[in-house]
């Protein structure tokens, strides 16, 4: 159960979800027709310990029974993660082409884009997450000899607290255009916090700024994600999320001077040549949409 002011490391509570999605990326990266390849996901699994490393090394019964390898949920979830990785990679390509040099990743988790993507000179990337998650990431990549390809600034915060001050203290300039990413975050925040977060971003984003967000409908609008997963795993995850009605992202931003475009994950996968009818057996893909918005000048 979540509590006010709760915190975590990479192996506990919401922190472990960062490792779980990194594991999905590592598995996706090994497929010949992967929609996205994130080589750093594997680095994190190895740093997290033998149990995680086994997901890419081992062929034990334990590995075969892991949810990420199941023929229904696992197959679909891995494709879903690769698709969202690709969608947001393409977003950043457009962002840098438009000349934006301030990037803010809220709940960056084990996102390695600062290390992976070709950032133009002068790009500053602010990665916000809980302190122990960012420490794990820093140590794992440093031990592997990896260096960021931009000026990466880790901002250790709880997003329920005064993160804008921490962001500014690290050099963020609200007068300059910025590009924001909220990938795999909203369901871990109460609906009211989501709205507060959006209002804060709206206040910090200069005209011409951009934002890209993954949203998942609550279970009264669509099947609950993981609904078809094993009961234990589902219960663990359901205890971490706020499964409640919340603002529709594209509408929220459209009403406040942003041009927003919403893409259904199913349409995105179809356009990428994936057989959604087959995939949808394992996970309610229709609950997920990807939204990108540009602040009008
Ligand atoms: C599913 S992971 C997604 C990580 C990353 N964006 C990705 O897609 O790989 C969720 C992340 O949200 C972070 N998070 C959730 N609630 C947070 C909060 N209140 N403050 C800071 N970080 C938070 C967790 O620590 C975790 O890294």
């Amino acid at each position: 159960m979540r509590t006010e002011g709760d915190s975590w490391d990479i192996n506990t509570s919401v922190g472990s979800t960062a490792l779980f999605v990194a594991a999905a990326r590592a598995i996706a990266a090994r497929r010949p027709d992967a929609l996205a390849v994130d080589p750093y996901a594997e680095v994190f699994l190895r740093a997290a310990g033998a149990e995680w490393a086994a997901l890419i090394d081992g062929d034990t019964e334990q590995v075969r029974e892991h949810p990420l390898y199941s023929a229904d949920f696992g197959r679909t979830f891995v494709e879903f993660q690769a698709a969202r990785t690709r969608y947001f990679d393409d977003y950043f390509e457009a962002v840098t082409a438009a000349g934006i040099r301030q990037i803010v990743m809220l709940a960056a988790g084990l996102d390695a884009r600062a290390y992976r993507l070709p950032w133009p000179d002068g790009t500053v990337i602010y990665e916000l997450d809980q302190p122990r998650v960012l420490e794990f990431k820093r140590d794992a990549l440093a031990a592997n000899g990896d260096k960021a390809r931009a000026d990466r600034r880790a901002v250790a915060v709880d997003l329920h607290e005064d993160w804008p001050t921490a962001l500014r203290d690290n050099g963020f300039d609200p007068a300059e255009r910025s590009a924001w990413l909220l990938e795999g975050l909203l369901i871990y925040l109460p609906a009211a916090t989501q709205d507060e977060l959006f209002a804060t971003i709206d206040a910090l984003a200069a005209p011409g700024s951009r934002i890209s967000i993954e949203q998942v409908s609550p279970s009264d609008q669509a099947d609950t994600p993981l609904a078809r997963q094993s009961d234990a795993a589902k219960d663990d995850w359901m205890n971490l999320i706020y499964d409640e009605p919340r603002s529709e992202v594209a509408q929220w931003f459209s009403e406040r001077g942003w041009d927003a475009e919403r893409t259904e994950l199913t349409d995105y996968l179809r356009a990428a040549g994936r057989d959604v009818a087959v995939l949808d057996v394992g996970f309610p893909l229709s609950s997920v949409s990807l939204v990108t918005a540009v602040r009008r000048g």
Side-chain angles (χ1 to χ4, degrees):
M1 244 347 133
R2 300 291 305 278
T3 52
E4 207 181 316
D6 52 354
S7 70
W8 48 79
D9 61 25
I10 199 69
N11 287 305
T12 54
S13 180
V14 188
S16 63
T17 68
L19 212 38
F20 191 81
V21 295
R25 287 197 289 268
I27 293 169
R30 297 201 152 201
R31 299 199 173 153
D33 63 343
L35 285 175
V37 173
D38 176 1
Y40 296 96
E42 187 170 324
V43 175
F44 295 128
L45 293 196
R46 296 196 188 288
E51 198 187 317
W52 288 97
L55 286 179
I56 37 173
D57 288 337
D59 188 19
T60 61
E61 195 171 330
Q62 205 186 358
V63 168
R64 281 193 294 274
E65 284 177 1
H66 191 278
L68 284 173
Y69 279 106
S70 68
D72 44 25
F73 167 78
R75 179 178 175 190
T76 309
F77 191 79
V78 167
E79 278 288 19
F80 158 32
Q81 295 305 298
R84 88 177 194 194
T85 300
R86 180 63 182 272
Y87 175 90
F88 294 123
D89 282 1
D90 290 348
Y91 160 71
F92 281 124
E93 195 181 329
V95 156
T96 52
I100 297 175
R101 297 290 179 263
Q102 289 196 109
I103 311 295
V104 188
M105 298 180 176
L106 295 182
L110 302 180
D111 183 328
R113 289 188 178 89
Y115 295 73
R116 191 163 60 73
L117 299 183
W119 301 100
D121 287 351
T123 305
V124 182
I125 302 177
Y126 300 94
E127 294 191 359
L128 280 63
D129 208 301
Q130 290 254 347
R132 287 177 288 164
V133 172
L134 292 171
E135 274 163 30
F136 170 83
K137 178 174 179 169
R138 180 198 61 204
D139 294 348
L141 293 173
N144 199 47
D146 298 315
K147 294 203 168 44
R149 301 174 75 181
D151 178 356
R152 173 180 172 267
R153 301 185 189 173
V155 184
V157 284
D158 183 326
L159 293 170
H160 290 100
E161 289 165 7
D162 181 13
W163 59 267
T165 298
L167 187 61
R168 286 170 193 251
D169 287 350
N170 276 276
F172 178 84
D173 180 1
E176 291 291 323
R177 289 182 301 159
S178 47
W180 302 72
L181 174 64
L182 283 70
E183 179 183 23
L185 169 62
L186 295 183
I187 47 171
Y188 301 105
L189 302 176
T193 308
Q194 171 179 314
D195 285 350
E196 284 164 22
L197 193 81
F198 287 175
T200 306
I201 295 170
D202 188 41
L204 290 172
S209 295
R210 301 185 182 209
I211 190 163
S212 203
I213 303 178
E214 176 200 16
Q215 74 174 332
V216 182
S217 314
S219 53
D220 58 348
Q221 288 173 30
D223 287 350
T224 304
L226 296 201
R228 300 168 209 161
Q229 244 252 66
S230 77
D231 284 348
K234 185 174 72 183
D235 287 351
D236 285 352
W237 189 71
M238 288 300 289
N239 282 336
L240 298 179
I241 66 166
Y242 292 89
D243 185 31
E244 53 195 37
R246 50 183 71 232
S247 303
E248 200 285 312
V249 171
Q251 186 182 350
W252 195 98
F253 281 92
S254 297
E255 288 172 356
R256 289 164 181 83
W258 298 64
D259 293 320
E261 191 176 343
R262 169 175 164 154
T263 304
E264 303 306 318
L265 176 64
T266 47
D267 291 338
Y268 189 80
L269 283 164
R270 253 184 233 110
R274 282 359 192 211
D275 188 341
V276 170
V278 171
L279 288 175
D280 209 27
V281 172
F283 181 91
L285 293 170
S286 56
S287 63
V288 183
S289 56
L290 304 162
V291 176
T292 295
V294 181
R295 191 183 182 129
R296 284 196 290 275

